[in-house]
Amino acid sequence: MKRLLLIAALAVMAASCTPSGDADAPTTTSVDQSTTVGYTGESFAGTVEAPEFPEGLEWINTASPIAMNDLKGKVVLLDFWTYGCINCIHILPDLERLETEFAEELVVIGVHSAKFPNEARTGNLRDIVQRYEISHPVVNDEDFVVWDAWGANAWPTIAVVDPTGRVVGTRAGEGVYDAVQPVIAGLVAEFDAQGAISREPAVRALEADAAPDRPLRYPGKVLAAEGRLWIADTGHHRVVEVDPGSGDVLAVHGSGVRGADDGVGTEATFHAPQGLALGDGTLYVADTNNHLIRGIDLATGEVTTVIGTGEKGWPPSSGTLGTTALASPWAVAWAEGSLYIANAGTHQIWRADVALDTVGPYIGSAREGTLNGSFTKAELAQPSSLTVSSDGMIYFADSESSSIRVADTRSGETALVVGGNGSLFDFGDTDGLGNAARLQHPLGTALAGTTLYVADTYNSKIKRVDVGTDTVTSWLGTAPGFADGDEPAFNEPGGLSLDGDILWVADTNNHAVRKVDLSTGSTSTLVLKGIERFDPPAAYRGDIVTLPEIDVSAGAASVVLAYTLPEGYKVNDEAPSSVTISAGSTIAAFPSGDTVDITGTAVPVPLPISLNRGSETVHFDVTLIYCEAINTSLCLIDQTRFIQPLAVGAEGPSSQITLPRSIPIPGG
């Protein structure tokens, strides 16, 4: 019964965003999920031929369209998703884990069947593939052709296909790895025994490989306070601290590498941070993909983990800060000693008392929906911003219901402000009153008096809501784009923060932070200065030679390039070779600075250097250009980093540093 149990596991519904109950939702036909659960002895093989991908669809992360027939010999996993759905985001780590474990045998294909019109645009989907660091092929199923052929009815849904191209099973919801890993392992074992597994590497054309390097990458949220501006540089997995007047970068928190390490400055790591809040000398950060709340001590720059376990929490529960699991916290707000958390993954708003070491659900039943009422019974749909007023009102962007809602902490009731109120599919771009208005997946809010500014993200607009009359009007932006001035354009703005008469905007898909004058609407782009100082050094591309520590004397000394060139070659007479000492060295320097050029010199090459007393590991980066002695037009470059530990004393045994190198014969 092994296969029966495993395939039955595939058919279990877990947490998902299901459209089937909405009148305007896509309908499903074709592959009958009930027929894919058939049991045939101990075999893992499927029984129904997998539908072929239609022609004419747009593909991402691949140089050409993919056909199911081309995937014979591989186990195939289809992931039906839509990019704003938090449940879809939650299974991406599972898919990445499976792709790593079955790197040679498994092909994952993302089938993007968009909920929102904005999500259906291939250009926006390319941005998301880069933002979420997706490395498998993705097909834009904007007309739900593939969705209908497979009978999908919820996001996310996965389907497994055996190496002969037959459907093994389908499953809707989260928790993909545990359910699917045994099935894939069984398929690999069974078909490997038959010699039917292909381990030819799949060819990819990754979007990330063509992405330009930018100071910011998909910034999600901003916070302006106390004369500073903090930016959640989401795509770079870090938080950037800026002087808002000059644009000077004051500090960077996070190395830029995904992780959950605590530490000072760039010693720390984050994973796609979003929301920011300031309270009692601490900058609280919603470390979204780590399912954590992190704290940055403003006095020391030290990053610590404040709330969460690092695991995605379900079902939601209350407890102490360090033992209670969160699920994709997207926004945070500080008010009167409490930290409020938009816990998007459980469709709730949580409250933490840091001093008392307690945290737990505050608003929302954990059912995804649009129901208003008491805090415990209300149904939210992926809250993604929090703005707390002075009179205890919590305004939040309820992104999957495309609405702005409010929670009254005095009455314990929620209510609609503007947007959809009866369906998760009440979205659009319509100004007006209350439920007559339409937004499209808003992600940001900021309050000034009775005016609530809204980042209407998927409409690429900034809108204003009069919270006294519950009326929304479009203010800035008409279509996705990039433009400053009196008629600005934005591209999926995700976060807002007010500082006096300035509205700061995290313009996510433009990889920029924008500055809006509230009185005029005139918009400019913040230019960051000095951020490159905090970037990690690029990986060295040449050879690396580590030398043993030597004792040398302080004062005038020499560095000798003890190079041996291939026979028939010489150092280039015209193009300058060079030697560079590692930046910031305190004990070694060339007379002309960190770098010295070498032109028309035979090897070995002695170079004067001055040494100061102390101990340090010095990097000498040597670029040597050498040419054929006869055919001088044929020249080659050798790049080598010498890692040389030095102990420099008053009277060392030597005043010479030797860098030995034998360059191999080209092509030898």
Side-chain angles (χ1 to χ4, degrees), residues 448-467:
T450 61
T451 300
L452 186 72
Y453 295 89
V454 175
D456 192 8
T457 306
Y458 285 4
N459 286 322
S460 290
K461 292 182 176 181
I462 307 299
K463 295 185 176 181
R464 292 186 290 200
V465 177
D466 186 324
V467 297

mmCIF file with all atom_site columns, all heavy atoms in Angstrom, residues 448-467:
data_model
loop_
_atom_site.group_PDB
_atom_site.id
_atom_site.type_symbol
_atom_site.label_atom_id
_atom_site.label_alt_id
_atom_site.label_comp_id
_atom_site.label_asym_id
_atom_site.label_entity_id
_atom_site.label_seq_id
_atom_site.pdbx_PDB_ins_code
_atom_site.Cartn_x
_atom_site.Cartn_y
_atom_site.Cartn_z
_atom_site.occupancy
_atom_site.B_iso_or_equiv
_atom_site.pdbx_formal_charge
_atom_site.auth_seq_id
_atom_site.auth_comp_id
_atom_site.auth_asym_id
_atom_site.auth_atom_id
_atom_site.pdbx_PDB_model_num
ATOM 1   N N   . ALA A 1 448 ? -1.528  61.141 7.849   1.00 0.00 ? 448 ALA A N   1
ATOM 2   C CA  . ALA A 1 448 ? -1.291  62.540 8.216   1.00 0.00 ? 448 ALA A CA  1
ATOM 3   C C   . ALA A 1 448 ? -2.646  63.167 8.512   1.00 0.00 ? 448 ALA A C   1
ATOM 4   O O   . ALA A 1 448 ? -3.427  63.453 7.593   1.00 0.00 ? 448 ALA A O   1
ATOM 5   C CB  . ALA A 1 448 ? -0.590  63.303 7.101   1.00 0.00 ? 448 ALA A CB  1
ATOM 6   N N   . GLY A 1 449 ? -2.958  63.361 9.792   1.00 0.00 ? 449 GLY A N   1
ATOM 7   C CA  . GLY A 1 449 ? -4.271  63.877 10.164  1.00 0.00 ? 449 GLY A CA  1
ATOM 8   C C   . GLY A 1 449 ? -5.361  62.904 9.789   1.00 0.00 ? 449 GLY A C   1
ATOM 9   O O   . GLY A 1 449 ? -5.385  61.764 10.249  1.00 0.00 ? 449 GLY A O   1
ATOM 10  N N   . THR A 1 450 ? -6.287  63.362 8.942   1.00 0.00 ? 450 THR A N   1
ATOM 11  C CA  . THR A 1 450 ? -7.359  62.483 8.470   1.00 0.00 ? 450 THR A CA  1
ATOM 12  C C   . THR A 1 450 ? -7.109  61.951 7.075   1.00 0.00 ? 450 THR A C   1
ATOM 13  O O   . THR A 1 450 ? -7.989  61.341 6.472   1.00 0.00 ? 450 THR A O   1
ATOM 14  C CB  . THR A 1 450 ? -8.709  63.228 8.487   1.00 0.00 ? 450 THR A CB  1
ATOM 15  O OG1 . THR A 1 450 ? -8.635  64.359 7.606   1.00 0.00 ? 450 THR A OG1 1
ATOM 16  C CG2 . THR A 1 450 ? -9.063  63.676 9.895   1.00 0.00 ? 450 THR A CG2 1
ATOM 17  N N   . THR A 1 451 ? -5.901  62.175 6.551   1.00 0.00 ? 451 THR A N   1
ATOM 18  C CA  . THR A 1 451 ? -5.548  61.684 5.224   1.00 0.00 ? 451 THR A CA  1
ATOM 19  C C   . THR A 1 451 ? -4.638  60.481 5.339   1.00 0.00 ? 451 THR A C   1
ATOM 20  O O   . THR A 1 451 ? -3.564  60.550 5.949   1.00 0.00 ? 451 THR A O   1
ATOM 21  C CB  . THR A 1 451 ? -4.856  62.769 4.385   1.00 0.00 ? 451 THR A CB  1
ATOM 22  O OG1 . THR A 1 451 ? -5.727  63.885 4.225   1.00 0.00 ? 451 THR A OG1 1
ATOM 23  C CG2 . THR A 1 451 ? -4.488  62.230 3.013   1.00 0.00 ? 451 THR A CG2 1
ATOM 24  N N   . LEU A 1 452 ? -5.098  59.382 4.811   1.00 0.00 ? 452 LEU A N   1
ATOM 25  C CA  . LEU A 1 452 ? -4.305  58.167 4.772   1.00 0.00 ? 452 LEU A CA  1
ATOM 26  C C   . LEU A 1 452 ? -3.754  58.007 3.361   1.00 0.00 ? 452 LEU A C   1
ATOM 27  O O   . LEU A 1 452 ? -4.510  57.889 2.395   1.00 0.00 ? 452 LEU A O   1
ATOM 28  C CB  . LEU A 1 452 ? -5.152  56.950 5.147   1.00 0.00 ? 452 LEU A CB  1
ATOM 29  C CG  . LEU A 1 452 ? -4.399  55.621 5.277   1.00 0.00 ? 452 LEU A CG  1
ATOM 30  C CD1 . LEU A 1 452 ? -3.533  55.620 6.545   1.00 0.00 ? 452 LEU A CD1 1
ATOM 31  C CD2 . LEU A 1 452 ? -5.371  54.444 5.290   1.00 0.00 ? 452 LEU A CD2 1
ATOM 32  N N   . TYR A 1 453 ? -2.438  58.010 3.235   1.00 0.00 ? 453 TYR A N   1
ATOM 33  C CA  . TYR A 1 453 ? -1.794  57.781 1.950   1.00 0.00 ? 453 TYR A CA  1
ATOM 34  C C   . TYR A 1 453 ? -1.641  56.280 1.749   1.00 0.00 ? 453 TYR A C   1
ATOM 35  O O   . TYR A 1 453 ? -1.253  55.546 2.664   1.00 0.00 ? 453 TYR A O   1
ATOM 36  C CB  . TYR A 1 453 ? -0.445  58.490 1.881   1.00 0.00 ? 453 TYR A CB  1
ATOM 37  C CG  . TYR A 1 453 ? -0.571  59.994 1.930   1.00 0.00 ? 453 TYR A CG  1
ATOM 38  C CD1 . TYR A 1 453 ? -0.562  60.664 3.147   1.00 0.00 ? 453 TYR A CD1 1
ATOM 39  C CD2 . TYR A 1 453 ? -0.719  60.728 0.765   1.00 0.00 ? 453 TYR A CD2 1
ATOM 40  C CE1 . TYR A 1 453 ? -0.699  62.048 3.207   1.00 0.00 ? 453 TYR A CE1 1
ATOM 41  C CE2 . TYR A 1 453 ? -0.853  62.117 0.805   1.00 0.00 ? 453 TYR A CE2 1
ATOM 42  C CZ  . TYR A 1 453 ? -0.846  62.759 2.030   1.00 0.00 ? 453 TYR A CZ  1
ATOM 43  O OH  . TYR A 1 453 ? -0.987  64.137 2.074   1.00 0.00 ? 453 TYR A OH  1
ATOM 44  N N   . VAL A 1 454 ? -1.941  55.819 0.540   1.00 0.00 ? 454 VAL A N   1
ATOM 45  C CA  . VAL A 1 454 ? -1.967  54.395 0.241   1.00 0.00 ? 454 VAL A CA  1
ATOM 46  C C   . VAL A 1 454 ? -1.090  54.107 -0.971  1.00 0.00 ? 454 VAL A C   1
ATOM 47  O O   . VAL A 1 454 ? -1.235  54.759 -2.015  1.00 0.00 ? 454 VAL A O   1
ATOM 48  C CB  . VAL A 1 454 ? -3.400  53.900 -0.036  1.00 0.00 ? 454 VAL A CB  1
ATOM 49  C CG1 . VAL A 1 454 ? -3.398  52.436 -0.476  1.00 0.00 ? 454 VAL A CG1 1
ATOM 50  C CG2 . VAL A 1 454 ? -4.278  54.086 1.200   1.00 0.00 ? 454 VAL A CG2 1
ATOM 51  N N   . ALA A 1 455 ? -0.177  53.153 -0.818  1.00 0.00 ? 455 ALA A N   1
ATOM 52  C CA  . ALA A 1 455 ? 0.537   52.609 -1.974  1.00 0.00 ? 455 ALA A CA  1
ATOM 53  C C   . ALA A 1 455 ? -0.354  51.552 -2.599  1.00 0.00 ? 455 ALA A C   1
ATOM 54  O O   . ALA A 1 455 ? -0.426  50.421 -2.105  1.00 0.00 ? 455 ALA A O   1
ATOM 55  C CB  . ALA A 1 455 ? 1.870   52.021 -1.551  1.00 0.00 ? 455 ALA A CB  1
ATOM 56  N N   . ASP A 1 456 ? -1.059  51.931 -3.670  1.00 0.00 ? 456 ASP A N   1
ATOM 57  C CA  . ASP A 1 456 ? -1.927  51.006 -4.391  1.00 0.00 ? 456 ASP A CA  1
ATOM 58  C C   . ASP A 1 456 ? -1.033  50.234 -5.361  1.00 0.00 ? 456 ASP A C   1
ATOM 59  O O   . ASP A 1 456 ? -0.946  50.521 -6.544  1.00 0.00 ? 456 ASP A O   1
ATOM 60  C CB  . ASP A 1 456 ? -3.027  51.784 -5.119  1.00 0.00 ? 456 ASP A CB  1
ATOM 61  C CG  . ASP A 1 456 ? -4.125  50.874 -5.651  1.00 0.00 ? 456 ASP A CG  1
ATOM 62  O OD1 . ASP A 1 456 ? -4.112  49.661 -5.332  1.00 0.00 ? 456 ASP A OD1 1
ATOM 63  O OD2 . ASP A 1 456 ? -5.000  51.372 -6.391  1.00 0.00 ? 456 ASP A OD2 1
ATOM 64  N N   . THR A 1 457 ? -0.393  49.211 -4.821  1.00 0.00 ? 457 THR A N   1
ATOM 65  C CA  . THR A 1 457 ? 0.807   48.638 -5.417  1.00 0.00 ? 457 THR A CA  1
ATOM 66  C C   . THR A 1 457 ? 0.621   48.151 -6.835  1.00 0.00 ? 457 THR A C   1
ATOM 67  O O   . THR A 1 457 ? 1.362   48.518 -7.742  1.00 0.00 ? 457 THR A O   1
ATOM 68  C CB  . THR A 1 457 ? 1.327   47.513 -4.521  1.00 0.00 ? 457 THR A CB  1
ATOM 69  O OG1 . THR A 1 457 ? 1.510   48.024 -3.185  1.00 0.00 ? 457 THR A OG1 1
ATOM 70  C CG2 . THR A 1 457 ? 2.651   46.961 -5.030  1.00 0.00 ? 457 THR A CG2 1
ATOM 71  N N   . TYR A 1 458 ? -0.366  47.294 -7.047  1.00 0.00 ? 458 TYR A N   1
ATOM 72  C CA  . TYR A 1 458 ? -0.500  46.701 -8.379  1.00 0.00 ? 458 TYR A CA  1
ATOM 73  C C   . TYR A 1 458 ? -1.101  47.660 -9.397  1.00 0.00 ? 458 TYR A C   1
ATOM 74  O O   . TYR A 1 458 ? -1.084  47.371 -10.597 1.00 0.00 ? 458 TYR A O   1
ATOM 75  C CB  . TYR A 1 458 ? -1.328  45.422 -8.300  1.00 0.00 ? 458 TYR A CB  1
ATOM 76  C CG  . TYR A 1 458 ? -0.591  44.224 -7.719  1.00 0.00 ? 458 TYR A CG  1
ATOM 77  C CD1 . TYR A 1 458 ? 0.698   44.340 -7.236  1.00 0.00 ? 458 TYR A CD1 1
ATOM 78  C CD2 . TYR A 1 458 ? -1.197  42.981 -7.655  1.00 0.00 ? 458 TYR A CD2 1
ATOM 79  C CE1 . TYR A 1 458 ? 1.371   43.242 -6.711  1.00 0.00 ? 458 TYR A CE1 1
ATOM 80  C CE2 . TYR A 1 458 ? -0.548  41.876 -7.134  1.00 0.00 ? 458 TYR A CE2 1
ATOM 81  C CZ  . TYR A 1 458 ? 0.731   42.007 -6.668  1.00 0.00 ? 458 TYR A CZ  1
ATOM 82  O OH  . TYR A 1 458 ? 1.384   40.914 -6.153  1.00 0.00 ? 458 TYR A OH  1
ATOM 83  N N   . ASN A 1 459 ? -1.638  48.804 -8.952  1.00 0.00 ? 459 ASN A N   1
ATOM 84  C CA  . ASN A 1 459 ? -2.030  49.866 -9.874  1.00 0.00 ? 459 ASN A CA  1
ATOM 85  C C   . ASN A 1 459 ? -0.909  50.873 -10.077 1.00 0.00 ? 459 ASN A C   1
ATOM 86  O O   . ASN A 1 459 ? -1.068  51.823 -10.853 1.00 0.00 ? 459 ASN A O   1
ATOM 87  C CB  . ASN A 1 459 ? -3.289  50.586 -9.381  1.00 0.00 ? 459 ASN A CB  1
ATOM 88  C CG  . ASN A 1 459 ? -4.551  49.753 -9.574  1.00 0.00 ? 459 ASN A CG  1
ATOM 89  O OD1 . ASN A 1 459 ? -4.708  49.058 -10.569 1.00 0.00 ? 459 ASN A OD1 1
ATOM 90  N ND2 . ASN A 1 459 ? -5.463  49.826 -8.605  1.00 0.00 ? 459 ASN A ND2 1
ATOM 91  N N   . SER A 1 460 ? 0.217   50.688 -9.363  1.00 0.00 ? 460 SER A N   1
ATOM 92  C CA  . SER A 1 460 ? 1.378   51.584 -9.464  1.00 0.00 ? 460 SER A CA  1
ATOM 93  C C   . SER A 1 460 ? 0.984   53.038 -9.214  1.00 0.00 ? 460 SER A C   1
ATOM 94  O O   . SER A 1 460 ? 1.439   53.947 -9.922  1.00 0.00 ? 460 SER A O   1
ATOM 95  C CB  . SER A 1 460 ? 2.075   51.426 -10.821 1.00 0.00 ? 460 SER A CB  1
ATOM 96  O OG  . SER A 1 460 ? 2.729   50.163 -10.913 1.00 0.00 ? 460 SER A OG  1
ATOM 97  N N   . LYS A 1 461 ? 0.148   53.255 -8.189  1.00 0.00 ? 461 LYS A N   1
ATOM 98  C CA  . LYS A 1 461 ? -0.335  54.596 -7.861  1.00 0.00 ? 461 LYS A CA  1
ATOM 99  C C   . LYS A 1 461 ? -0.175  54.890 -6.373  1.00 0.00 ? 461 LYS A C   1
ATOM 100 O O   . LYS A 1 461 ? -0.120  53.960 -5.554  1.00 0.00 ? 461 LYS A O   1
ATOM 101 C CB  . LYS A 1 461 ? -1.809  54.754 -8.238  1.00 0.00 ? 461 LYS A CB  1
ATOM 102 C CG  . LYS A 1 461 ? -2.101  54.743 -9.731  1.00 0.00 ? 461 LYS A CG  1
ATOM 103 C CD  . LYS A 1 461 ? -3.587  54.963 -9.974  1.00 0.00 ? 461 LYS A CD  1
ATOM 104 C CE  . LYS A 1 461 ? -3.890  55.065 -11.465 1.00 0.00 ? 461 LYS A CE  1
ATOM 105 N NZ  . LYS A 1 461 ? -5.345  55.312 -11.710 1.00 0.00 ? 461 LYS A NZ  1
ATOM 106 N N   . ILE A 1 462 ? -0.108  56.164 -6.060  1.00 0.00 ? 462 ILE A N   1
ATOM 107 C CA  . ILE A 1 462 ? -0.253  56.629 -4.688  1.00 0.00 ? 462 ILE A CA  1
ATOM 108 C C   . ILE A 1 462 ? -1.629  57.273 -4.593  1.00 0.00 ? 462 ILE A C   1
ATOM 109 O O   . ILE A 1 462 ? -1.949  58.203 -5.340  1.00 0.00 ? 462 ILE A O   1
ATOM 110 C CB  . ILE A 1 462 ? 0.836   57.646 -4.296  1.00 0.00 ? 462 ILE A CB  1
ATOM 111 C CG1 . ILE A 1 462 ? 2.222   57.091 -4.592  1.00 0.00 ? 462 ILE A CG1 1
ATOM 112 C CG2 . ILE A 1 462 ? 0.689   58.027 -2.823  1.00 0.00 ? 462 ILE A CG2 1
ATOM 113 C CD1 . ILE A 1 462 ? 2.583   55.840 -3.846  1.00 0.00 ? 462 ILE A CD1 1
ATOM 114 N N   . LYS A 1 463 ? -2.455  56.795 -3.671  1.00 0.00 ? 463 LYS A N   1
ATOM 115 C CA  . LYS A 1 463 ? -3.808  57.312 -3.513  1.00 0.00 ? 463 LYS A CA  1
ATOM 116 C C   . LYS A 1 463 ? -3.977  57.927 -2.128  1.00 0.00 ? 463 LYS A C   1
ATOM 117 O O   . LYS A 1 463 ? -3.194  57.672 -1.211  1.00 0.00 ? 463 LYS A O   1
ATOM 118 C CB  . LYS A 1 463 ? -4.839  56.197 -3.746  1.00 0.00 ? 463 LYS A CB  1
ATOM 119 C CG  . LYS A 1 463 ? -4.820  55.673 -5.190  1.00 0.00 ? 463 LYS A CG  1
ATOM 120 C CD  . LYS A 1 463 ? -5.910  54.664 -5.459  1.00 0.00 ? 463 LYS A CD  1
ATOM 121 C CE  . LYS A 1 463 ? -5.903  54.247 -6.925  1.00 0.00 ? 463 LYS A CE  1
ATOM 122 N NZ  . LYS A 1 463 ? -6.985  53.271 -7.238  1.00 0.00 ? 463 LYS A NZ  1
ATOM 123 N N   . ARG A 1 464 ? -5.002  58.773 -1.998  1.00 0.00 ? 464 ARG A N   1
ATOM 124 C CA  . ARG A 1 464 ? -5.319  59.398 -0.715  1.00 0.00 ? 464 ARG A CA  1
ATOM 125 C C   . ARG A 1 464 ? -6.710  58.976 -0.278  1.00 0.00 ? 464 ARG A C   1
ATOM 126 O O   . ARG A 1 464 ? -7.649  58.996 -1.068  1.00 0.00 ? 464 ARG A O   1
ATOM 127 C CB  . ARG A 1 464 ? -5.222  60.916 -0.827  1.00 0.00 ? 464 ARG A CB  1
ATOM 128 C CG  . ARG A 1 464 ? -3.805  61.420 -1.047  1.00 0.00 ? 464 ARG A CG  1
ATOM 129 C CD  . ARG A 1 464 ? -3.695  62.926 -1.004  1.00 0.00 ? 464 ARG A CD  1
ATOM 130 N NE  . ARG A 1 464 ? -4.316  63.577 -2.138  1.00 0.00 ? 464 ARG A NE  1
ATOM 131 C CZ  . ARG A 1 464 ? -4.043  64.820 -2.532  1.00 0.00 ? 464 ARG A CZ  1
ATOM 132 N NH1 . ARG A 1 464 ? -3.109  65.530 -1.890  1.00 0.00 ? 464 ARG A NH1 1
ATOM 133 N NH2 . ARG A 1 464 ? -4.675  65.359 -3.570  1.00 0.00 ? 464 ARG A NH2 1
ATOM 134 N N   . VAL A 1 465 ? -6.805  58.621 1.009   1.00 0.00 ? 465 VAL A N   1
ATOM 135 C CA  . VAL A 1 465 ? -8.076  58.219 1.595   1.00 0.00 ? 465 VAL A CA  1
ATOM 136 C C   . VAL A 1 465 ? -8.432  59.190 2.709   1.00 0.00 ? 465 VAL A C   1
ATOM 137 O O   . VAL A 1 465 ? -7.630  59.411 3.624   1.00 0.00 ? 465 VAL A O   1
ATOM 138 C CB  . VAL A 1 465 ? -8.014  56.787 2.152   1.00 0.00 ? 465 VAL A CB  1
ATOM 139 C CG1 . VAL A 1 465 ? -9.326  56.420 2.830   1.00 0.00 ? 465 VAL A CG1 1
ATOM 140 C CG2 . VAL A 1 465 ? -7.684  55.792 1.044   1.00 0.00 ? 465 VAL A CG2 1
ATOM 141 N N   . ASP A 1 466 ? -9.612  59.781 2.639   1.00 0.00 ? 466 ASP A N   1
ATOM 142 C CA  . ASP A 1 466 ? -10.149 60.588 3.729   1.00 0.00 ? 466 ASP A CA  1
ATOM 143 C C   . ASP A 1 466 ? -10.796 59.624 4.714   1.00 0.00 ? 466 ASP A C   1
ATOM 144 O O   . ASP A 1 466 ? -11.855 59.050 4.432   1.00 0.00 ? 466 ASP A O   1
ATOM 145 C CB  . ASP A 1 466 ? -11.155 61.600 3.196   1.00 0.00 ? 466 ASP A CB  1
ATOM 146 C CG  . ASP A 1 466 ? -11.650 62.564 4.265   1.00 0.00 ? 466 ASP A CG  1
ATOM 147 O OD1 . ASP A 1 466 ? -11.821 62.132 5.430   1.00 0.00 ? 466 ASP A OD1 1
ATOM 148 O OD2 . ASP A 1 466 ? -11.885 63.740 3.944   1.00 0.00 ? 466 ASP A OD2 1
ATOM 149 N N   . VAL A 1 467 ? -10.156 59.411 5.863   1.00 0.00 ? 467 VAL A N   1
ATOM 150 C CA  . VAL A 1 467 ? -10.659 58.416 6.802   1.00 0.00 ? 467 VAL A CA  1
ATOM 151 C C   . VAL A 1 467 ? -11.875 58.925 7.559   1.00 0.00 ? 467 VAL A C   1
ATOM 152 O O   . VAL A 1 467 ? -12.516 58.157 8.293   1.00 0.00 ? 467 VAL A O   1
ATOM 153 C CB  . VAL A 1 467 ? -9.560  57.968 7.788   1.00 0.00 ? 467 VAL A CB  1
ATOM 154 C CG1 . VAL A 1 467 ? -8.428  57.282 7.043   1.00 0.00 ? 467 VAL A CG1 1
ATOM 155 C CG2 . VAL A 1 467 ? -9.035  59.139 8.605   1.00 0.00 ? 467 VAL A CG2 1
#
